């Protein structure tokens, strides 16, 4: 049994962290599993007695743990969590998606304004142009990110 918890805080389990086993002869990595609600994962013994386990969260490797399954019934790893990095990644992804949505909305409104102008529908074109100008600007997005 492998248990992961936050550095210097055994009461804070690292939940949902991915564990991979690296074959020391071939270098291949195989997925072992994810830690449970208490930061635990059973690691089965295999042909090779020594396992090199990689702990990942959000795609980033957080630790390499050498382990001999079955030698001790419990192994504990005291790791620094990376929740702040994951929050930052999620925020950046959200901003990227907002920018993509904004570009699509601006292109759609611009196309509608041009269509209304070609048809001579000036009032509708003005309304759409007003909507286009109300969309967030580069400066506003940059200010939000600065905050």
């Amino acid at each position: 049994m492998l248990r992961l918890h936050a550095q210097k805080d055994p009461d804070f389990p690292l939940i949902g962290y991915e564990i991979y086993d690296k074959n020391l002869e071939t270098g291949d990595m195989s997925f072992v599993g994810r830690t449970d609600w208490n930061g635990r994962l059973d690691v089965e013994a295999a042909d090779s007695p020594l396992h090199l386990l990689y702990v990942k969260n959000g795609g980033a490797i957080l630790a390499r743990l050498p382990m001999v399954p079955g030698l001790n019934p419990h192994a504990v790893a005291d790791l620094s969590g990376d929740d702040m990095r994951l929050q930052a990644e999620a925020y950046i992804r959200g901003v990227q998606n907002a920018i993509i949505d904004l570009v699509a909305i601006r292109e759609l409104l611009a196309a509608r304004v041009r269509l209304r102008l070609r048809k001579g529908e000036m009032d509708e074109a003005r309304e759409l142009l007003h909507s286009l100008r109300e969309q967030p600007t580069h400066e506003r997005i940059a200010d939000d990110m600065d905050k």
Side-chain angles (χ1 to χ4, degrees), residues 24-69:
L24 297 175
E25 293 175 6
T26 65
D28 294 336
M29 301 270 282
S30 61
F31 180 69
V32 176
R34 290 183 192 274
T35 55
D36 65 9
W37 63 272
N38 198 16
R40 297 175 303 188
L41 177 70
D42 284 323
V43 179
E44 301 291 328
D47 296 338
S48 172
L50 178 64
H51 291 253
L52 183 56
L53 302 179
Y54 282 73
V55 180
K56 289 185 175 185
N57 192 22
I61 296 174
L62 301 178
R64 289 180 199 85
L65 306 172
M67 183 178 183
V68 178

Side-chain angles (χ1 to χ4, degrees), residues 86-102 141 144-145:
L86 291 177
Q87 287 177 353
E89 265 184 24
Y91 177 75
I92 294 299
R93 279 195 201 107
V95 170
Q96 287 173 335
N97 289 338
I99 290 170
I100 291 169
D101 291 347
L102 179 60
I141 293 172
D144 288 346
M145 284 180 45

Side-chain angles (χ1 to χ4, degrees), residues 101-114 117 124-137 140:
D101 291 347
L102 179 60
V103 168
I105 288 168
R106 291 178 68 94
E107 288 296 319
L108 180 63
L109 287 172
R112 287 182 177 173
V113 167
R114 286 190 295 273
L117 288 174
E124 292 88 352
R126 267 191 216 99
E127 287 176 27
L128 289 170
L129 187 59
H130 179 68
S131 295
L132 180 62
R133 289 183 176 149
E134 287 180 347
Q135 296 302 313
T137 63
R140 182 171 154 202

